[in-house]
Amino acid sequence: MRVVVIGAGVIGLSTALCVHERYHSVLQPLDLEVYADRFTPLTNTDVAAGLWQPYLSDRGNQQEAHWNRQTFDYLLSHVHSPNAASMGLAPISGYNLFHEAVPDPSWKDIVLGFRKLTPRELDMFPDYSYGWFNTSLTLEGRRYLQWLTERLTERGVRFFQQKVESFEEVARGGADVIINCTGVWAGALQPDPLLQPGRGQIIKVDAPWIKHFVITHDLDRGIYKSPYIIPGIQAVTLGGIFQLGNWSEVNNSEDHNTIWEGCCRLEPTLKDAKIVTELTGFRPVRPQIRLEREQLCFGSSDTEVIHNYGHGGYGLTIHWGCALEAAKLFGQVLEERKLLRMPPSHL
Amino acid sequence: MDPVRVAVVGAGVMGLSTALCISKLVPGCSITVISDKFSPETTSDVAAGILIPHVYPDTPTHKQKQWFRETFDHLWAIANSADAREAAVHLVSGWQVYRSISTEVPFWADVVLGFRKMTEAELKKFPQHVFGHAFTTLKLEGSAYLPWLEKRVKESGAVTLTRRIEDLWELQPSFDIVVNCTGLGSRQLVGDLEIYPVKGQLLKVQAPWVKHFIRDGSGLTYIFPGVSNVILGGSRQSGDWNLTPDAEISRDILSRCCALEPSLHGAWDIKETVGLRPYRAGVRLQKELLARDGRRLPVVHHYGHGSGGFSMHWGTALEAARLLNECVQALRTPAPKPKI
């Protein structure tokens, strides 16, 4: 069985790992390959700040809420490992700030120690009057992708740096199943009017005295358009840009000023922090994630495609739940084709 | 009126902060800080610098709470100011975990931020512990805070002098009042046998992903993330004056800390360091009038903070400055003429 995963961001690599972990022993040979034109550090995952935190409201999407929880639980189970830091994983606590009282988020029981901010804590943030404190997890994109790459390499998964122009090209190359994890670029393989880029720009600084994340919310302006400060494993990510429909991959100086001024106002000690790098990325924005099967016919044979893209600004937050779901869909394909020699092991 | 000449002996956190408090609170003083050791060679440079008080059995609780609150407020103001980076003062959140259930609420619970019991889910992270407290407090780095204090002290007009004082009477007639902040040095300098060393060894490591403090309720094992390193501790060896690190103790500290936080197996650049806590049943904050051969020398004692130096330093320094003010007033009040 030849499986090709297109895309090497967090969705592509984690789906590849999840599928390989579950099916390599029951499906021999399982020839799994990853094709992508961009690998770390050039993916959108590398630009993400890396904090586990879903949107404030799950927009009624119970399935996505479940995948978020599965991801948190999975990461939490690894946080005690001696290798957690090399995975890019660590606990982190911090503040969510608002201009007015808001309902508690649906994920308040997933994170640890969720509570409202006390008046003394709010004194630190004079522009805000309400907020939450909780402990969550940091999962730094670059380190996690490197770790995933190592795990996949150990398993004999091969990587090919190439730009895939069509599903047909991959099918005619012999792939039985294609897992489409092309993120914001999915429209190039199959038009999807629901998918749009949510351009983000971030500044990474050296500020080791900052131990908490600080995320502000401006409910009128919308998500990610208000300053945020998110410490990673080493550097601190400053952000607050979200531009729907903007495909410009170049760092913009006006956006730089917006981020810098907003974050320095929030945390004045940042003024002297040294800038390490500045990056632009595109959140793959979609009303909901496209995670489903599709059968495509090229010539005489059917090719199964499993789509797994459109994770917006919460890809790292939801990735493992989606990988598990994609693996489940893969299992269905195998059952339908009567390819399973024994029941799939549920790891 | 001539300025009152004050000698502050000792340039650890107590000496420097007392000098600063005096410069702010007691007008008409000229201050000289005298010590054989300045940062980075003081006991304060070794200490972890986290604001979690040590309890003094001989001091009333309300007094300890006052000192802690004054210190917390002072450092809170620095953490929220342009000086935060230079002084290396910052907020840090974390957990204090216990091996048995504790119903006691520490006296400082409402001074730190967000103090609460840990949830079941949080305790899962610590399989050997059954109970804990979560809160946010402040931390500083002695090796940055002391130079910051010294700068502020000098800006106020005080001068520093590197010299070892063997006898307080050396300071007469150049000085009118002495403030004794010599920590363990007081054992010899003023003959205080109540003060003794409790040696502490700790490791300063690189592990930048650790953003929370973790402290075992016994106080013996702790992980304190700072600006330039993470501090792992610790040890308590009473009566040991030896400043050489012990390799066996270092291994033991690392092992205990890795049990609390397994990701520390990945820590690198591990440096050992040793300090002697100036242990005393209570902080000595006291005026004394030394007399010899018809001469008099007023002394304000301000030392003996044991494990709790940084947590209480500003509160006790303010009190030392008040005591000094009393001495200054006494000097300025003309002595009543003897009646014949």
Side-chain angles (χ1 to χ4, degrees):
Chain A
M1 148 98 18
R2 271 198 74 217
V3 179
V4 171
V5 173
I6 313 175
V10 64
I11 301 301
L13 297 191
S14 60
T15 306
L17 185 62
C18 195
V19 165
H20 201 275
E21 277 176 350
R22 275 150 189 73
Y23 294 103
H24 81 278
S25 59
V26 301
L27 191 66
Q28 275 172 12
L30 170 57
D31 182 10
L32 199 151
E33 292 168 346
V34 176
Y35 291 18
D37 63 343
R38 293 176 194 231
F39 286 83
T40 179
L42 302 173
T43 72
N44 284 314
T45 302
D46 291 282
V47 184
L51 177 71
W52 187 98
Q53 183 162 305
Y55 289 178
L56 298 185
S57 116
D58 53 28
R59 306 171 294 177
N61 193 325
Q62 298 293 10
Q63 205 172 39
E64 290 190 9
H66 177 60
W67 292 336
N68 283 331
R69 182 186 278 275
Q70 282 181 307
T71 306
F72 191 88
D73 291 343
Y74 169 74
L75 293 174
L76 194 63
S77 73
H78 280 81
V79 97
H80 255 292
S81 142
N83 299 314
S86 63
M87 250 175 106
L89 179 66
I92 185 164
S93 296
Y95 307 88
N96 274 281
L97 303 172
F98 303 87
H99 295 294
E100 68 260 301
V102 294
D104 290 346
S106 56
W107 41 266
K108 66 184 268 218
D109 295 319
I110 302 178
V111 294
L112 304 173
F114 181 93
R115 63 173 172 83
K116 317 270 203 296
L117 291 180
T118 64
R120 276 171 75 209
E121 289 173 309
L122 284 166
D123 282 344
M124 289 195 281
F125 309 108
D127 290 340
Y128 298 88
S129 59
Y130 187 83
W132 310 323
F133 185 91
N134 64 265
T135 301
S136 182
L137 298 169
T138 218
L139 182 62
E140 214 174 65
R142 169 135 176 78
R143 269 173 218 243
Y144 189 46
L145 291 179
Q146 285 173 312
W147 183 86
L148 286 169
T149 305
E150 280 166 21
R151 303 286 77 72
L152 288 166
T153 306
E154 274 166 10
R155 291 168 164 271
V157 171
R158 290 179 301 158
F159 298 85
F160 296 90
Q161 210 250 324
Q162 66 185 71
K163 188 170 162 67
V164 168
E165 301 288 356
S166 67
F167 290 124
E168 179 164 5
E169 144 201 338
V170 178
R172 289 195 189 280
D176 301 300
V177 179
I178 299 174
I179 308 184
N180 175 23
C181 304
T182 48
V184 78
W185 321 105
L189 290 178
Q190 191 185 88
D192 183 344
L194 297 175
L195 179 68
Q196 282 184 285
R199 181 181 175 280
Q201 186 167 319
I202 55 107
I203 305 172
K204 281 203 203 266
V205 302
D206 242 336
W209 60 92
I210 295 183
K211 309 291 183 193
H212 298 92
F213 60 81
V214 183
I215 301 172
T216 67
H217 300 267
D218 186 331
L219 301 176
D220 294 331
R221 285 169 58 77
I223 192 130
Y224 303 127
K225 288 187 186 146
S226 195
Y228 56 82
I229 297 167
I230 300 176
I233 297 295
Q234 208 135 8
V236 178
T237 298
L238 311 182
I241 299 292
F242 183 92
Q243 294 151 348
L244 209 52
N246 185 349
W247 279 107
S248 168
E249 202 159 357
V250 178
N251 288 330
N252 175 291
S253 61
E254 207 177 292
D255 292 337
H256 170 97
N257 292 336
T258 303
I259 299 168
W260 192 256
E261 279 155 24
C263 290
C264 285
R265 193 179 157 81
L266 194 53
E267 180 56 65
T269 61
L270 282 170
K271 279 194 193 73
D272 304 312
K274 199 183 94 182
I275 294 180
V276 173
T277 188
E278 189 149 4
L279 299 169
T280 293
F282 304 104
R283 303 173 184 87
V285 177
R286 207 173 181 275
Q288 61 185 51
I289 296 167
R290 187 178 183 197
L291 184 36
E292 63 188 5
R293 286 169 57 183
E294 184 181 10
Q295 267 123 7
L296 298 179
C297 196
F298 302 115
S300 56
S301 57
D302 283 345
T303 307
E304 281 286 341
V305 179
I306 298 173
H307 297 286
N308 187 4
Y309 68 84
H311 303 76
Y314 53 104
L316 284 158
T317 297
I318 204 169
H319 80 278
W320 193 250
C322 291
L324 289 168
E325 179 68 22
K328 200 167 95 188
L329 295 176
F330 182 77
Q332 279 173 14
V333 171
L334 298 185
E335 274 184 40
E336 285 164 17
R337 293 192 180 190
K338 303 199 178 1
L339 287 171
L340 293 177
R341 295 192 290 115
M342 57 180 163
S345 59
H346 292 288
L347 290 162
Chain B
M1 195 168 37
D2 287 334
V4 173
R5 299 160 303 165
V6 177
V8 176
V9 186
V13 66
M14 297 311 158
L16 293 177
S17 50
T18 311
L20 193 54
C21 283
I22 294 170
S23 74
K24 287 172 193 266
L25 297 177
V26 189
C29 290
S30 90
I31 303 167
T32 305
V33 176
I34 307 173
S35 181
D36 60 342
K37 301 248 192 285
F38 284 78
S39 176
E41 294 174 321
T42 71
T43 302
S44 306
D45 289 282
V46 180
I50 192 128
L51 254 65
I52 298 175
H54 161 82
V55 178
Y56 298 109
D58 279 11
T59 307
T61 304
H62 76 268
K63 196 91 231 179
Q64 295 183 56
K65 185 165 180 175
Q66 180 199 326
W67 291 340
F68 181 59
R69 190 186 284 283
E70 286 167 339
T71 306
F72 196 93
D73 290 347
H74 158 78
L75 291 174
W76 173 261
I78 298 175
N80 289 304
S81 80
D83 283 358
R85 276 198 65 210
E86 196 192 331
V89 181
H90 59 91
L91 282 178
V92 64
S93 296
W95 308 284
Q96 186 153 263
V97 290
Y98 301 86
R99 291 174 198 260
S100 58
I101 311 267
S102 165
T103 49
E104 257 183 69
V105 176
F107 72 78
W108 42 268
D110 58 351
V111 178
V112 297
L113 299 170
F115 183 93
R116 58 172 174 81
K117 290 201 271 239
M118 284 170 71
T119 63
E120 286 302 313
E122 287 175 308
L123 279 164
K124 284 211 184 86
K125 205 172 143 7
F126 305 103
Q128 294 172 329
H129 297 81
V130 300
F131 182 82
H133 294 131
F135 55 93
T136 302
T137 187
L138 292 163
K139 187 185 175 301
L140 54 80
E141 263 175 23
S143 53
Y145 183 62
L146 258 60
W148 180 84
L149 278 176
E150 198 179 316
K151 241 196 193 172
R152 305 281 87 72
V153 160
K154 286 180 170 152
E155 274 167 13
S156 75
V159 298
T160 59
L161 179 62
T162 305
R163 209 174 111 193
R164 186 178 169 79
I165 304 296
E166 304 285 0
D167 184 331
L168 288 185
W169 287 104
E170 289 169 39
L171 298 164
Q172 257 206 357
S174 316
F175 297 96
D176 303 309
I177 309 177
V178 172
V179 182
N180 170 26
C181 301
T182 55
L184 264 181
S186 288
R187 199 172 160 96
Q188 197 163 40
L189 190 60
V190 299
D192 183 353
L193 297 178
E194 283 180 47
I195 193 163
Y196 60 97
V198 175
K199 172 169 153 180
Q201 186 159 320
L202 42 88
L203 305 176
K204 297 192 176 180
V205 312
Q206 293 304 305
W209 60 88
V210 177
K211 313 282 187 199
H212 296 91
F213 70 80
I214 304 172
R215 185 176 186 266
D216 182 284
S218 67
L220 200 59
T221 306
Y222 49 82
I223 298 161
F224 296 141
V227 178
S228 57
N229 54 44
V230 179
I231 292 183
L232 309 183
S235 75
R236 284 193 191 131
Q237 294 126 280
S238 196
D240 189 344
W241 289 87
N242 191 327
L243 279 172
T244 313
D246 180 324
E248 190 57 51
I249 291 180
S250 289
R251 270 192 291 278
D252 184 55
I253 290 173
L254 191 57
S255 160
R256 282 184 275 128
C257 288
C258 284
L260 274 184
E261 178 54 68
S263 70
L264 284 170
H265 282 291
W268 77 92
D269 193 19
I270 298 173
K271 297 193 164 88
E272 302 165 305
T273 184
V274 170
L276 305 179
R277 302 175 183 84
Y279 244 74
R280 209 173 178 276
V283 177
R284 189 175 183 198
L285 264 170
Q286 200 176 46
K287 290 183 301 189
E288 188 181 4
L289 189 58
L290 300 182
R292 184 198 278 184
D293 308 326
R295 296 182 290 157
R296 284 160 196 261
L297 182 58
V299 177
V300 173
H301 296 288
H302 177 208
Y303 66 87
H305 297 71
S307 305
F310 279 117
S311 295
M312 302 299 201
H313 77 279
W314 195 253
T316 57
L318 287 171
E319 188 141 328
R322 284 192 282 272
L323 290 177
L324 183 96
N325 193 34
E326 289 172 12
C327 293
V328 169
Q329 297 310 314
L331 276 183
R332 292 217 168 106
T333 309
K337 292 230 174 8
K339 291 196 156 94
I340 300 173

